[in-house]
Amino acid sequence: MSPGYDELTCDFLIIGSGGAGLMAALHAYDLNPRLNIVVVAKGLVGKSGCTRLVQGGFNAALDPKDSVEKHFLDTVKGGAFLNNQDLAWALVSDAPEIIRKLETKVGVFFDRRPDGTIHQKAFAGQSFDRTVHRGDLTGIEIVSRLHDQLFARKITLIDETRALDLIPTKDGSGIAGALLLHQRTGAFTLARARTTLLATGGGPRMYKFSAPSIEKVGDGYAMAYRAGCDLVDMEMMQFHPTGILAGASRLSGMVLEEGLRGAGAYLLNAHGERFMQRYDPERMERATRDVVSRSAYIEIMEGRGTPAGGVYIDASHLGADFVAKTFPGMVRRCAEVGYDLTRRPVEVTPTAHFHMGGVAIDDRCRTAMPGLLVAGEDSGGVHGANRLGGNGVAESCVFGARAGVTAAQICSELDMHAVDASAVNTALDAALAPLTRPEGENPFAIRDRVQAVMWEDAGLVRSGPQLARARATLDELSDRALHCAAPNERRWNLAWQQVLDVRNLITVASLTARAAEHRTETRGSHARSDFAKRDDGRWLVNIHLQNDRIFEVPVVMTRLKPDAAVPA
């Protein structure tokens, strides 16, 4: 009897084709061209994912007047000292070399000053202007050049294929690969690998307003949690302060980049007041994202918002020519939905942007499970309680490269393990179940309900009662999702894909709400109305979730302590 799937065997399986996945493939291949490497993307390889959406840039200490120590201090202070400091140090110390590799080896072009040095611009939370960029479309430049490089190498690229679950080894000692679903045909493939990398991107799509690409529903977090991985600081969800408000358009929630505020754009409430004067008079619009987003949210909630329920960003005083020349991508994006960024204010709202939490890793991207690496937004700990703008694509590239190096090294040490066949069949049955029901719950309605409850009760400002309500609602939705139905046709079945998305979305939302309920203080992007102050005496701990357990581990201060913010 046919098992219902075909098989693929490789040395290194990469799930995700954003910056982390592509950098991992490139570095692993160049260290060992004999490796059989497979990259699987839920969308199109090189054309989907969040790295491609990056507008702002890549933080790296390149200027002689800057230093990795300053970059590190900014990163840890921005993260409210919740960072894994070893990971944060790896980020800042590798970033300059990765920039040089991207230019000289990959062929990326960054903007330059008249003297030929790389231009670096201002982002919030920086003590030095260190954001390297390509206009305001940096992500497209990086991902496109990486994609070009993969074509020059013998690497297998598989489009429009999602991973359903990680598959353990037969003896339970680690991960042996993943079960894949080809969305175009509805066929399944069991991918067996010596090493598997999770690099699928984050899950902010569980919120009503969100910035990531549409396929980002937390697949990596959910698969890792089901496999028994340890997830850390899932309560830390970053909201970017300037998501565009465009009615029912899919562009609603998409980010207008931080460089606008760095260049001097104002944030105004409906009365025309620069409201940041009330919340951070020293840094104003250049305060960190958590502070600015929360301030905008308070303005809206206290009745000083715009008619559409947002605030305004106004760059008109910078000069129309300057704005058009410096931010051409943002000007085009605004024009698509009827705004003129060069001459008039644009309505914006805080929008879910980046999950600082994720799978616990070491500085080589290894998890506690042999055979499984994690890099990029799927991992946790680098950014602590809040990520600085420009550190996201830096993380993807730095840790993607590290994952590739690690994979090249350990593939030669690991045998190909037999898979746990029962786990394959369980994943297969769960995926096919919606197709067997003639009628059932509507996955699109459940998705909308998840996004509403997370926005209302587990969003920018939370409280214990709100989070308890959110968890109860998510439990109810989780039960309903077990009874979702989809037309019994496997090829390009969007309803079926939505059922699979919703399952993961609910898992990640529940983990986020549970960790947020546990942390009874306000720190970084996690704001509690019932515990409004940061409490270093009690809460300098990371919150871990694993196998339905929640537990705390004290933050290890290997380099900096919060009381002095000087080398420990």
Side-chain angles (χ1 to χ4, degrees):
M1 180 177 174
S2 168
Y5 54 84
D6 58 17
E7 289 197 22
L8 174 159
T9 302
C10 61
D11 295 306
F12 187 23
L13 172 66
I14 299 172
I15 304 172
S17 70
L22 298 185
M23 285 289 279
L26 187 65
H27 281 73
Y29 182 91
D30 288 353
L31 276 176
N32 185 356
R34 291 172 298 175
L35 287 178
N36 180 357
I37 301 172
V38 174
V39 180
V40 176
K42 195 174 179 182
L44 299 174
V45 176
K47 306 293 183 188
S48 58
C50 288
T51 307
R52 191 175 172 82
L53 297 178
V54 169
Q55 303 152 0
F58 185 129
N59 290 345
L62 302 179
D63 192 289
K65 295 189 287 294
D66 196 9
S67 68
V68 294
E69 288 79 10
K70 290 179 181 176
H71 187 183
F72 179 74
L73 179 58
D74 290 344
T75 298
V76 174
K77 287 177 69 177
F81 286 86
L82 215 61
N83 316 61
N84 178 318
Q85 295 195 4
D86 290 340
L87 297 182
W89 183 254
L91 171 76
V92 302
S93 56
D94 282 11
E97 178 60 21
I98 291 294
I99 287 290
R100 282 187 277 272
K101 280 187 178 179
L102 286 172
E103 280 211 322
T104 59
K105 185 173 180 180
V106 179
V108 173
F109 290 95
F110 294 116
D111 285 5
R112 290 185 174 270
R113 301 187 181 97
D115 66 2
T117 58
I118 292 177
H119 183 265
Q120 294 181 273
K121 62 182 177 181
F123 260 31
Q126 294 180 345
S127 58
F128 192 91
D129 297 349
R130 64 170 69 91
T131 304
V132 178
H133 63 105
R134 175 65 170 172
D136 59 352
L137 297 171
T138 308
I140 289 178
E141 173 70 9
I142 292 174
V143 171
S144 297
R145 300 289 82 78
L146 284 168
H147 192 208
D148 292 344
Q149 290 294 325
L150 294 200
F151 280 126
R153 290 161 173 81
K154 190 178 178 183
I155 295 172
T156 302
L157 309 179
I158 303 178
D159 290 326
E160 295 172 331
T161 296
R162 66 185 301 157
L164 292 169
D165 265 313
L166 298 169
I167 301 301
T169 59
K170 187 175 182 179
D171 62 6
S173 63
I175 297 299
L179 182 64
L180 310 178
L181 169 59
H182 306 279
Q183 297 165 97
R184 196 180 309 167
T185 63
F188 296 93
T189 294
L190 172 61
R192 299 178 58 215
R194 296 180 196 278
T195 302
T196 299
L197 170 66
L198 264 186
T200 67
R205 281 280 167 192
M206 61 184 159
Y207 287 92
K208 178 181 175 182
F209 291 108
S210 62
S213 53
I214 197 163
E215 74 274 17
K216 299 302 176 188
V217 295
D219 294 329
Y221 303 132
M223 286 190 287
Y225 189 70
R226 286 196 291 269
C229 288
D230 174 14
L231 273 64
V232 61
D233 296 337
M234 291 298 288
E235 73 277 22
M236 296 302 174
M237 169 61 66
Q238 180 177 82
F239 292 83
H240 194 290
T242 53
I244 194 167
L245 268 175
S249 167
R250 280 191 175 181
L251 286 179
S252 266
M254 299 299 282
V255 165
L256 294 183
E257 71 134 306
E258 195 158 304
L260 280 165
R261 289 185 288 123
Y266 298 151
L267 288 172
L268 308 172
N269 61 21
H271 305 312
E273 300 168 330
R274 287 182 70 187
F275 59 83
M276 286 308 299
Q277 181 72 40
R278 251 192 294 280
Y279 306 98
D280 195 331
E282 182 179 343
R283 296 182 298 179
M284 296 290 285
E285 285 85 358
R286 286 189 63 174
T288 50
R289 291 175 177 175
D290 54 331
V291 174
V292 181
S293 293
R294 198 151 52 241
S295 302
Y297 177 80
I298 292 170
E299 291 295 303
I300 296 165
M301 290 298 105
E302 293 186 351
R304 296 184 290 276
T306 65
V311 294
Y312 295 110
I313 186 167
D314 185 3
S316 60
H317 59 283
L318 301 177
D321 291 343
F322 171 81
V323 174
K325 181 180 178 182
T326 310
F327 303 102
M330 299 304 93
V331 171
R332 283 196 298 272
R333 174 168 291 180
C334 288
E336 288 174 5
V337 289
Y339 291 116
D340 181 356
L341 179 65
T342 65
R343 291 181 172 81
R344 282 186 284 278
V346 174
E347 285 190 83
V348 293
T349 178
T351 182
H353 184 54
F354 188 93
H355 218 147
M356 276 73 69
V359 182
I361 61 169
D362 67 9
D363 62 4
R364 295 178 62 195
C365 301
R366 294 176 299 187
T367 68
M369 288 197 172
L372 179 65
L373 307 177
V374 179
E377 197 173 345
D378 281 344
S379 67
V382 177
H383 308 290
N386 181 51
R387 175 174 73 76
L388 296 185
N391 271 359
V393 70
E395 178 197 18
S396 295
C397 293
V398 163
F399 287 95
R402 283 186 171 231
V405 171
T406 301
Q409 293 169 343
I410 65 177
C411 274
S412 61
E413 303 165 1
L414 290 174
D415 294 327
M416 190 72 73
H417 280 76
V419 302
D420 180 345
S422 65
V424 179
N425 291 328
T426 298
L428 202 60
D429 291 345
L432 288 170
L435 304 181
T436 66
R437 300 187 185 105
E439 58 184 28
E441 293 280 355
N442 182 327
F444 298 97
I446 293 177
R447 176 203 61 193
D448 292 347
R449 185 70 185 117
V450 171
Q451 291 174 335
V453 73
M454 289 301 289
W455 186 256
E456 292 162 8
D457 286 336
L460 282 98
V461 181
R462 310 134 169 195
S463 69
Q466 284 179 297
L467 290 163
R469 187 165 60 220
R471 290 188 62 196
T473 303
L474 291 168
D475 286 346
E476 174 202 333
L477 294 173
S478 181
D479 290 340
R480 287 174 54 189
L482 294 174
H483 303 286
C484 280
N488 191 10
E489 165 58 56
R490 292 194 193 182
R491 291 172 297 179
W492 278 128
N493 186 334
L494 295 182
W496 185 26
Q497 299 305 320
Q498 190 62 223
V499 175
L500 301 173
D501 283 350
V502 160
R503 179 179 68 155
N504 290 342
L505 210 59
I506 293 174
T507 297
V508 181
S510 298
L511 293 173
T512 302
R514 185 177 181 189
E517 188 178 30
H518 188 82
R519 183 177 288 280
T520 52
E521 65 156 353
T522 289
R523 181 181 299 271
S525 61
H526 171 70
R528 290 278 301 251
S529 60
D530 47 353
F531 296 94
K533 293 184 178 178
R534 172 170 147 173
D535 182 358
D536 281 355
R538 166 68 180 88
W539 284 109
L540 274 174
V541 300
N542 299 115
I543 295 174
H544 293 248
L545 289 155
Q546 184 178 30
N547 295 329
D548 208 32
R549 292 188 306 132
I550 188 164
F551 56 99
E552 303 166 10
V553 176
V555 179
V556 179
M557 307 284 176
T558 54
R559 292 179 179 271
L560 284 175
K561 294 180 179 177
D563 50 354
V566 294

